[in-house]
Amino acid sequence: MLNSFNPALLQSECLGVVLAGGLSSRMGQDKAKLVRDKNSTMSMLSFSKRLLKESGLNNIVVSGDNYDVPDTVSEGGPVGGILSILTKFPQAKSLLILPVDLPFMTAKALTNLRLKGELSQKAVYFEGHNIPLYLPNNSYVELFLSQAINTFNNTAERNLVSDGKNKKSGPSIKALLKHVPNIALQSSDENILFNTNTPEQWQQATQKFNS
């Protein structure tokens, strides 16, 4: 968490959130700790936090069991991470949510999301990509989170009782967006939305860094 973190500001300002709570199972190593390019020691986590800061945010937290806000819902996915953030910071006016696996994202693009969201008071994302996401903290979000997580937990319990295996698949950002007023923006550069979930994708990204 940044040293300048000031909870009092959250009543009037947006909270930056880096989602770093995934298992990174497809990558085979923690995506947050990947070094962005051979000419820098900056990890993807540090890069993501810097982007949020450069987009104009004063307060930034990292979601994930090993970071600022541990998951309150086991294997709840990105929506579980959002719930954990809002449970800890219910006074937050809004969230600007950035996954830790977007090595070409820019502060300019994130600023655009935030400004559109603040003007419209709606959730804002790039068309075809549910995150990054500007998310107002409002009654629509609160209602969806409470219902979705209850359903998720009940389903997991039924699966465990029926076959002894706890099959979990958290609610999706796509489902969230169906329940909240939202705007999809066209991105002027699809390259910034290239995500790195696998070693092959990370190799593609590093080749671009070093070319």
Side-chain angles (χ1 to χ4, degrees):
M1 191 179 297
L2 298 187
N3 293 332
S4 60
F5 189 90
N6 184 352
L9 291 175
L10 294 183
Q11 295 179 1
S12 60
E13 293 193 4
C14 180
L15 174 64
V17 177
V18 180
L19 290 180
L23 298 176
S24 297
S25 55
R26 293 172 62 192
M27 181 64 73
Q29 58 181 307
D30 189 348
K31 291 186 289 185
K33 295 179 180 178
L34 292 172
V35 176
R36 194 165 167 270
D37 68 79
K38 68 179 183 181
N39 298 316
S40 169
T41 59
M42 180 174 289
S43 69
M44 282 301 300
L45 178 59
S46 296
F47 171 69
S48 301
K49 292 168 69 175
R50 188 185 73 178
L51 284 180
L52 288 168
K53 183 177 181 180
E54 290 178 351
S55 72
L57 301 186
N58 294 305
N59 287 326
I60 299 164
V61 295
V62 182
S63 169
D65 286 339
N66 299 319
Y67 300 105
D68 301 323
V69 184
D71 293 336
T72 57
V73 179
S74 176
E75 298 179 42
V79 170
I82 293 170
L83 174 66
S84 302
I85 293 290
L86 290 177
T87 299
K88 184 167 183 177
F89 301 106
Q91 73 275 39
K93 181 181 179 181
S94 58
L95 307 178
L96 183 57
I97 303 162
L98 176 65
V100 78
D101 58 3
L102 296 179
F104 301 111
M105 181 50 57
T106 66
K108 181 179 179 180
L110 293 176
T111 302
N112 193 27
L113 280 187
R114 179 177 60 82
L115 293 179
K116 294 288 186 182
E118 289 175 349
L119 285 172
S120 66
Q121 289 301 297
K122 295 180 179 180
V124 183
Y125 59 100
F126 292 111
E127 189 169 326
H129 303 267
N130 297 325
I131 45 178
L133 172 68
Y134 173 87
L135 187 68
N137 183 13
N138 56 31
S139 57
Y140 294 103
V141 173
E142 182 180 356
L143 179 61
F144 172 82
L145 290 176
S146 62
Q147 293 178 343
I149 295 302
N150 283 338
T151 300
F152 169 64
N153 286 333
N154 291 338
T155 300
E157 288 178 10
R158 287 198 299 271
N159 288 340
L160 184 60
V161 170
S162 64
D163 62 10
K165 297 179 181 179
N166 201 346
K167 302 171 185 175
K168 290 191 173 185
S169 179
S172 67
I173 298 288
K174 183 178 181 179
L176 167 63
L177 290 171
K178 288 181 178 179
H179 289 80
V180 303
N182 66 80
I183 298 172
L185 298 182
Q186 288 281 350
S187 174
S188 59
D189 181 6
E190 279 293 313
N191 187 57
I192 65 172
L193 295 164
F194 180 79
N195 66 334
T196 50
N197 282 315
T198 66
E200 292 76 18
Q201 290 169 334
W202 182 249
Q203 184 178 17
Q204 290 179 48
T206 55
Q207 287 174 349
K208 290 183 180 181
F209 293 142
N210 300 324
S211 63

